[in-house]
């Protein structure tokens, strides 16, 4: 929600992350924090399966190219992220649409009803259920490229601990740092995706249309830091994950 707002003049904008939490709780209740939860649940299993399966397949293919391991891991991660994005994007469109609906949780349509409405109104293409696909490709491609490239290279450098508890902490720490760095690098794509898939500033008029044009618009109108809106909750979600 925090990523989607259009600057200080946005009437639905939030002053800070804390203000975002307070406002959602006051307007929409506790369940307002769980809007759009069903699409991610549905997408999570195929998403993870595609992510790790394709990473291994791309890694095997790159083995024939005699690339340095670090580069091979990064390119395989990029490929897995792009493939993952194609699977997850329709779920993201439904999720963002539900999350930006400011009615109470019990008053909003279900995920399936919302998906049918999007298909009926705008179709399955880049204006409908696959809106914002380019930004989603950038978000997942960049994240997986940085995450897998950093994680496997650092994991191979740091010595393995014989103590299973310390070994767990080693891997968890590397994963946490990997997820944090990847989140910092890819969040401009995330902001662009949220703006494209979320409600437009003027109903019936599409302002945020393409990935890089949206980034340029956000930068021009709101400044460089606007491309990093929502970074803290994103790190809180993806770093430990």
């Amino acid at each position: 929600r925090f990523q989607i707002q259009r600057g200080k003049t946005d009437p639905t904008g939030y002053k800070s992350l804390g203000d975002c939490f307070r406002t959602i709780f006051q307007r929409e209740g506790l369940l307002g924090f769980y809007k759009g939860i069903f699409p991610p649940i549905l997408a999570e299993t195929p998403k993870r399966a595609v992510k790790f399966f394709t990473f291994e397949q791309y890694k095997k293919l790159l083995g024939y190219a005699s690339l340095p391991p670090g580069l091979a891991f990064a390119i395989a991660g990029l490929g897995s992220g792009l493939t993952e994005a194609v699977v997850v994007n329709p779920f993201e469109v439904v999720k963002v649409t539900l999350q930006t609906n400011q009615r109470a949780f019990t008053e909003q349509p279900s995920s399936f009803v919302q998906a049918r409405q999007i298909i009926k109104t705008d179709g399955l293409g880049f204006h409908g259920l696959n809106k914002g696909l380019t930004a989603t490709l950038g978000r997942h491609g960049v994240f997986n490229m940085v995450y897998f490239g950093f994680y496997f290279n650092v994991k191979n450098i740091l010595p393995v601990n014989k103590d299973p508890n310390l070994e767990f902490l080693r891997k968890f720490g590397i994963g946490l740092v990997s997820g944090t760095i990847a989140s910092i690098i890819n969040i401009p794509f995330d902001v662009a995706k949220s703006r494209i898939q979320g409600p437009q500033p003027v109903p019936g008029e599409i302002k945020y249309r393409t990935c890089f044009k949206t980034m340029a618009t956000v930068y021009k109108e709101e400044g460089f830091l606007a491309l990093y809106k929502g970074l803290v909750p994103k790190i809180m979600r993806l770093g430990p994950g």
Side-chain angles (χ1 to χ4, degrees):
R1 290 279 281 270
F2 193 53
Q3 293 173 345
I4 298 169
Q5 63 191 49
R6 275 84 52 178
K8 297 179 180 179
T9 59
D10 182 8
T12 63
Y14 306 105
K15 298 176 182 177
S16 65
L17 180 60
D19 179 59
C20 180
F21 275 98
R22 283 193 301 272
T23 303
I24 291 174
F25 181 74
Q26 290 169 0
R27 290 179 181 173
E28 304 166 40
L30 181 63
L31 292 178
F33 294 110
Y34 294 90
K35 283 183 175 179
I37 192 173
F38 197 49
I41 290 174
L42 286 176
E44 194 61 27
T45 298
K47 169 188 169 183
R48 296 288 179 179
V50 168
K51 179 190 186 87
F52 291 102
F53 174 77
T54 56
F55 173 74
E56 291 298 328
Q57 300 311 306
Y58 288 129
K59 191 171 67 172
K60 288 179 182 178
L61 289 173
L62 290 167
Y64 297 106
S66 299
L67 294 173
L71 182 59
F73 286 135
I75 296 176
L78 174 62
S80 72
L82 295 176
T83 309
E84 176 190 19
V86 175
V87 175
V88 80
N89 192 69
F91 296 94
E92 286 289 315
V93 172
V94 177
K95 182 194 75 171
V96 171
T97 305
L98 290 171
Q99 288 180 339
T100 53
N101 184 336
Q102 296 195 1
R103 288 183 294 175
F105 184 91
T106 54
E107 296 176 358
Q108 70 172 15
S110 68
S111 299
F112 291 109
V113 170
Q114 186 66 67
R116 284 200 300 268
Q117 182 61 41
I118 293 171
I119 295 171
K120 181 179 178 180
T121 305
D122 300 307
L124 295 168
F126 297 135
H127 297 292
L129 207 58
N130 274 292
K131 180 167 58 175
L133 177 60
T134 305
T136 306
L137 288 168
R139 183 180 79 156
H140 287 266
V142 171
F143 182 91
N144 285 6
M145 178 179 68
V146 175
Y147 179 84
F148 282 116
F150 185 90
Y151 179 83
F152 282 102
N153 281 284
V154 174
K155 187 169 76 73
N156 291 334
I157 292 172
L158 295 180
V160 177
N161 285 291
K162 295 181 179 180
D163 187 318
N165 293 324
L166 293 177
E167 177 60 13
F168 168 78
L169 290 175
R170 181 183 78 97
K171 290 182 178 178
F172 179 82
I174 297 171
L176 178 63
V177 174
S178 301
T180 300
I181 293 174
S183 297
I184 293 171
I185 293 175
N186 90 323
I187 195 170
F189 291 97
D190 206 356
V191 171
K193 182 196 79 70
S194 297
R195 297 295 181 94
I196 294 168
Q197 294 177 346
Q200 300 294 310
V202 180
E205 180 181 315
I206 300 178
K207 178 178 182 179
Y208 303 112
R209 189 181 298 272
T210 62
C211 178
F212 291 104
K213 187 176 180 181
T214 297
M215 287 186 192
T217 300
V218 172
Y219 174 77
K220 181 179 178 181
E221 295 183 354
E222 304 170 40
F224 178 74
L225 291 180
L227 292 170
Y228 289 84
K229 281 183 176 178
L231 178 60
V232 173
K234 181 179 174 70
I235 289 175
M236 291 170 65
R237 177 171 65 95
L238 291 176

